[in-house]
């Protein structure tokens, strides 16, 4: 069966569109960065209209690069930055405010107030999440309280809320479909992941009207058909998953105990726990890994806010490298006798600390410290943070064993030095796949399998191939000393001890 799959990967700093052929090979790709808005300290916003235009432009360019027509596309899959809040007018389709990005910390005080009222256990019991500004619910609550007249209009059903996937589905279908999938819904702080529904009690606490919420579907499902006037063809949207869950799927981590970690702007590690909804005792998140045919698969997740973003900081703010890929070679030149640590808490610390007020710091500088030592500290910070997550997972669930192999993806995994250091610090094998674009591949597979163009779950898992396995080489004493130094530095940055 011939045909093509269009996968839209709407990320935090850029949008990509990719065309896959029937053999699951990428034949066309286009990418476009968009503006980051920082209206106040700790605030991060996007222009949802600019995001939409970037989607349209990259689709056109990807189709051209593949040398096909848009009508040759069989189905569309979407993956997206999670937790980012978009609110728009149901009739006009115009956003009523800039999108509030997952990195945004403006609701930190509100989260503290909810905790002081003793409400965090309730939210965690139902959603698997913690009361942190990271998640959508408090961001949406803030908008309803701070945009004039918005709450009244939302009560009347005039306003739509959605994460970025919902926004794109709405625009692609010409306003006919207001929907999301279970993975994105599970990150909103208002979705009961056991009952698989938005929760009335949590909605009441956050003063969010049910009328503005999207319909929740499986990851591989019918999300409507694109308006011909929008793309030039009527194409079914058949797959949707938040970016980190799409990476679980793209890495074929379908069996309990399998683990993936994505190294993009942030770092997100997910451990498949199957049908077991594991409650963390170490401040990890319990989330929906995917939902297929009405069956929910759960995961433990550790969220790190800053990974590749620290490399961007080296490039853009510090000026130590001209392109991000130069960081690898620079780190290799670092003095091995200097132990310099960077705690990249630029927007607070995520799991397992969850300290929104923590801020970044660098430790161990000497007169001879320079760009090479900074570069090594940046790359090593990713390994240390991942180790914190893996150790917490081992404590929470017996399925996370010392034999756990980490499957990795994202821009940073192209660096052999970083992946070797990751294996050394974890004291565990790290597998890099042949196809590094596993997030967008996961979205494409959801659509391709639903369309009958690509293999089923078992068939897809059989196609996963390893590019290289990185085995730990560091001596145990050196590893323990390095980790102890990291933990000491983190403790100095925490505001909540």
């Amino acid at each position: 069966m011939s045909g093509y799959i269009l996968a839209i990967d709407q990320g935090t700093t850029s949008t990509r569109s990719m065309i896959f052929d029937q053999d699951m090979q990428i034949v066309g790709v286009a990418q476009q960065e968009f503006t980051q808005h920082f209206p106040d300290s700790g605030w991060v916003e996007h222009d949802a209209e600019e995001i939409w235009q970037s989607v349209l432009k990259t689709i056109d360019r990807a189709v051209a690069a593949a040398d096909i027509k848009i009508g040759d596309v069989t189905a569309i899959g979407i993956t997206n930055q999670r937790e980012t809040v978009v609110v728009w007018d149901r009739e006009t389709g115009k956003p009523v405010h800039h999108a509030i990005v997952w990195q945004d910390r403006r609701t930190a005080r509100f989260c503290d107030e909810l905790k002081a009222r003793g409400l965090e256990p309730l939210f965690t019991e139902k959603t698997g999440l913690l009361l942190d500004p990271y998640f959508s619910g408090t961001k949406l609550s803030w908008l309803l309280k701070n945009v004039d007249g918005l709450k009244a209009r939302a009560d009347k059903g005039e306003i739509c809320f959605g994460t970025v996937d919902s926004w794109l589905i709405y625009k692609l279908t010409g306003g006919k479909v207001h929907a999301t999938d279970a993975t994105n819904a599970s990150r909103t702080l208002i979705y009961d992941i056991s009952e698989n529904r938005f929760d009335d009690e949590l909605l009441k606490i956050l003063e969010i009207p049910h009328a503005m919420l999207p319909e929740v579907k499986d990851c591989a499902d019918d999300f409507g058909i694109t308006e011909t006037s929008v793309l030039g063809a009527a194409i079914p949207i058949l797959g949707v998953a938040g970016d980190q869950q799409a990476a679980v799927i793209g890495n074929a981590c379908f069996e309990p105990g399998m683990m993936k970690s994505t190294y993009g702007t942030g770092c997100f590690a997910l451990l498949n726990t199957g049908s077991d909804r594991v409650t963390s005792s170490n401040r990890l998140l319990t989330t929906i890994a995917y939902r297929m045919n009405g069956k929910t698969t759960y995961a433990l997740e550790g969220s790190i806010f800053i990974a590749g973003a620290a490399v961007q900081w080296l490039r853009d703010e510090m000026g130590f490298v001209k392109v991000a890929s130069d960081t690898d070679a620079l780190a290799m030149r670092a003095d091995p006798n200097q132990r310099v640590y960077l705690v990249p808490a630029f927007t607070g610390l995520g799991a397992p600390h969850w300290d929104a007020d923590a801020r970044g710091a660098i430790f161990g500088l000497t007169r001879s410290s320079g760009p090479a030592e900074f570069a090594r500290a940046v790359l090593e910070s990713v390994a240390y943070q991942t180790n914190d997550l893996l150790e917490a997972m081992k404590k929470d669930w017996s399925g996370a064993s010392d034999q756990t192999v980490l499957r990795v993806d994202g821009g940073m995994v192209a660096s052999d030095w970083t992946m070797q250091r990751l294996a050394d610090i974890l004291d565990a094998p790290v597998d890099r796949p042949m196809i590094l674009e596993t997030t967008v591949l996961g979205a494409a597979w959801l659509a391709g399998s639903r369309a009958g163009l690509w293999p089923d779950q078992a068939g897809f898992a059989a196609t996963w191939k390893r590019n290289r396995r990185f085995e730990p080489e560091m001596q145990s004493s050196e590893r323990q000393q390095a980790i102890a130094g990291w933990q000491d530095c983190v403790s100095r940055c925490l505001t909540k001890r």
Side-chain angles (χ1 to χ4, degrees):
M1 181 179 180
S2 62
Y4 297 89
I5 299 298
L6 164 62
I8 300 167
D9 178 11
Q10 204 302 294
T12 307
T13 59
S14 68
T15 297
R16 295 184 301 170
S17 292
M18 292 189 185
I19 304 293
F20 291 80
D21 65 16
Q22 60 268 28
D23 297 319
M24 297 186 286
Q25 299 301 306
I26 299 170
V27 294
V29 60
Q31 181 169 353
Q32 181 172 316
E33 293 188 355
F34 53 89
T35 310
Q36 308 292 306
H37 299 271
F38 307 101
D40 205 343
S41 176
W43 294 26
V44 189
E45 296 181 352
H46 292 158
D47 182 340
E49 282 288 358
E50 185 182 4
I51 286 175
W52 169 235
Q53 291 303 317
S54 73
V55 169
L56 292 176
K57 290 174 183 175
T58 56
I59 289 174
D60 283 346
R61 286 163 39 208
V63 167
D67 194 24
I68 64 171
K69 296 181 175 64
I70 189 65
D72 295 327
V73 173
T74 301
I76 295 174
I78 297 173
T79 185
N80 57 286
Q81 54 169 311
R82 305 174 305 172
E83 296 97 13
T84 294
V85 170
V86 187
V87 178
W88 66 94
D89 185 290
R90 188 178 296 276
E91 184 173 345
T92 68
K94 297 293 184 183
V96 301
H97 190 276
H98 271 173
I100 302 183
V101 180
W102 60 271
Q103 297 166 316
D104 190 282
R105 312 305 287 171
R106 76 185 65 185
T107 64
R109 297 285 79 77
F110 180 39
C111 289
D112 288 342
E113 292 169 11
L114 294 171
K115 291 175 190 175
R117 290 165 55 188
L119 292 171
E120 186 167 61
L122 175 66
F123 278 88
T124 300
E125 177 190 354
K126 294 191 175 191
T127 70
L129 309 177
L130 300 170
L131 280 172
D132 188 87
Y134 174 30
F135 306 108
S136 309
T138 58
K139 303 178 194 297
L140 178 55
S141 183
W142 185 92
L143 285 169
L144 291 167
K145 293 172 183 174
N146 287 275
V147 176
D148 286 345
L150 185 60
K151 177 65 163 59
R153 296 187 63 204
D155 286 333
K156 296 176 184 176
E158 298 174 1
I159 300 296
C160 291
F161 152 73
T163 42
V164 172
D165 59 305
S166 294
W167 166 242
L168 298 183
I169 292 166
Y170 185 92
K171 297 295 283 185
L172 287 166
T173 61
K176 289 185 171 63
V177 179
H178 181 207
T180 188
D181 85 295
T183 68
N184 278 294
S186 75
R187 314 296 296 189
T188 59
L189 201 64
I190 51 176
Y191 189 76
D192 188 318
I193 62 172
S194 294
E195 298 294 330
N196 275 293
R197 59 175 173 78
F198 288 111
D199 186 83
D200 290 336
E201 185 177 11
L202 302 183
L203 291 171
K204 184 176 180 180
I205 292 170
L206 297 180
E207 300 180 66
I208 297 171
H210 204 288
M212 68 189 309
L213 303 178
E215 179 186 0
V216 182
K217 294 175 173 282
D218 286 354
C219 298
D221 211 327
D222 298 320
F223 291 88
I225 299 173
T226 63
E227 276 290 304
T228 304
S229 60
V230 175
L231 290 187
I235 306 168
I237 305 168
L238 298 181
V240 177
D243 51 10
Q244 304 313 317
Q245 284 92 338
V248 170
I249 295 165
N251 268 308
C253 291
F254 294 131
E255 297 298 324
M258 297 184 74
M259 181 178 176
K260 77 88 200 178
S261 191
T262 299
Y263 298 95
T265 301
C267 164
F268 303 87
L270 275 79
L271 176 70
N272 185 326
T273 62
S275 58
D276 292 341
R277 183 192 155 171
V278 178
T279 300
S280 175
S281 301
N282 295 279
R283 296 184 68 75
L284 298 177
L285 307 175
T286 306
T287 196
I288 293 177
Y290 47 85
R291 196 174 80 196
M292 308 280 198
N293 300 314
K295 180 183 177 182
T296 302
T297 296
Y298 295 98
L300 277 174
E301 176 175 331
S303 305
I304 297 168
F305 298 149
I306 300 293
V311 176
Q312 292 176 321
W313 170 75
L314 274 184
R315 180 193 66 189
D316 300 338
E317 273 68 47
M318 304 302 288
F320 288 163
V321 294
K322 290 185 178 179
V323 294
S325 57
D326 290 345
T327 311
D328 199 31
L330 189 59
M332 287 191 284
R333 298 202 298 270
D335 180 356
N337 296 315
Q338 290 192 53
R339 178 57 67 186
V340 177
Y341 292 94
L342 171 74
V343 180
F346 301 146
T347 57
L349 282 172
H353 308 289
W354 295 107
D355 189 339
D357 295 319
R359 288 296 176 263
I362 193 158
F363 298 90
L365 296 179
T366 69
R367 282 290 299 273
S368 59
S369 300
E373 286 69 37
F374 271 71
R376 186 181 67 185
V378 163
L379 298 182
E380 285 185 330
S381 72
V382 174
Y384 290 127
Q385 291 180 100
T386 306
N387 185 64
D388 289 343
L389 300 182
L390 182 55
E391 289 302 312
M393 288 175 176
K394 289 178 181 178
K395 294 175 184 176
D396 278 336
W397 191 56
S398 59
S401 69
D402 290 334
Q403 281 71 50
T404 294
V405 176
L406 181 67
R407 289 185 175 180
V408 296
D409 64 281
M412 294 187 76
V413 306
S415 165
D416 287 354
W417 190 93
T418 305
M419 293 301 98
Q420 183 58 55
R421 188 51 55 98
L422 179 62
D424 288 340
I425 296 300
L426 296 181
D427 195 27
V430 172
D431 279 357
R432 182 170 64 193
M434 289 294 295
I435 299 178
L436 297 182
E437 303 295 349
T438 51
T439 298
V440 69
L441 176 63
W445 175 75
L446 288 169
S449 61
R450 178 80 178 181
L453 187 65
W454 287 12
D456 63 10
Q457 186 168 309
F460 177 67
T463 68
W464 189 92
K465 290 183 174 60
R466 183 173 64 208
N467 163 262
R468 178 176 171 182
R469 169 167 287 185
F470 296 86
E471 297 279 4
E473 298 174 352
M474 185 179 287
Q475 293 293 321
S476 177
S477 59
E478 181 184 354
R479 174 179 176 270
Q480 291 172 4
Q481 185 179 25
I483 291 172
W486 162 259
Q487 292 172 342
D488 177 60
C489 293
V490 170
S491 70
R492 297 168 186 265
C493 296
L494 295 175
T495 62
K496 301 171 181 178
R497 304 179 188 177

